[in-house]
């Protein structure tokens, strides 16, 4: 099944439910840094304009590199964790597309077609 309105409509539904439950949702702003108390507890975020937004929970959908290397203040992460994130390989990517076709595709990169219709 596919979501009516595309995948963005799921995000909109989640945001709507959160607002109904009392959350304050802010969009179209850039986070410049995580607010971290006592070098161990995330207390919110600092926006690019310097505004502090305090929260009991902070979620990131950025890559681990962006989150931990760019948003976490310096000297907070243990050295071994910092090195592991810094040297992670992010070169692999995936793409998903949905298409309607009248027959199975014949990929030129494949010498034989192992796809069979049932």
């Amino acid at each position: 099944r596919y979501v009516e309105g595309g995948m963005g409509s799921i995000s909109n539904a989640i945001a709507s439910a959160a607002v109904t439950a009392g959350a304050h949702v802010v969009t179209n702003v850039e986070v410049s840094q995580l607010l971290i108390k006592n070098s161990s507890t995330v207390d919110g975020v600092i926006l690019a304009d310097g505004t502090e937004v305090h929260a009991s929970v902070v979620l990131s959908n950025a890559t681990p590199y962006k989150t931990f290397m760019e948003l976490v203040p310096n000297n907070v992460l243990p050295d071994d964790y910092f090195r592991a994130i810094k040297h992670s390989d992010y070169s692999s990517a995936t793409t998903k597309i949905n298409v309607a076709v009248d027959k199975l595709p014949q990929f030129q990169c494949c010498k034989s077609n192992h796809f069979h219709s049932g």
Side-chain angles (χ1 to χ4, degrees):
R1 301 278 181 215
Y2 298 99
V3 177
E4 184 177 328
M7 292 303 293
S9 64
I10 292 175
S11 299
N12 291 336
I14 292 168
S16 178
V19 169
T20 299
H24 178 74
V25 176
V26 179
T27 60
N28 298 315
V29 296
E30 181 182 349
V31 172
S32 64
Q33 190 172 20
L34 296 177
L35 276 170
I36 299 184
K37 299 188 292 190
N38 306 323
S39 296
S40 64
T41 306
V42 177
D43 188 39
V45 298
I46 302 172
L47 303 181
D49 68 2
T51 302
E52 291 187 5
V53 179
H54 294 269
S56 58
V57 175
V58 174
L59 303 174
S60 173
N61 71 336
T63 65
Y65 188 93
K66 174 72 175 177
T67 301
F68 295 109
M69 300 298 293
E70 298 179 19
L71 300 179
V72 171
N74 292 332
N75 302 319
V76 171
L77 297 173
D79 289 341
D80 58 339
Y81 190 82
F82 181 85
R83 277 191 301 278
I85 294 295
K86 184 177 181 180
H87 297 293
S88 292
D89 182 6
Y90 294 95
S91 62
S92 177
T94 60
T95 300
K96 175 187 173 188
I97 60 171
N98 297 315
V99 294
V101 295
D102 62 353
K103 62 182 178 178
L104 292 174
Q106 302 294 314
F107 296 105
Q108 292 179 358
C109 62
C110 299
K111 294 188 186 287
S112 64
N113 189 347
H114 296 286
F115 298 101
H116 301 284
S117 58

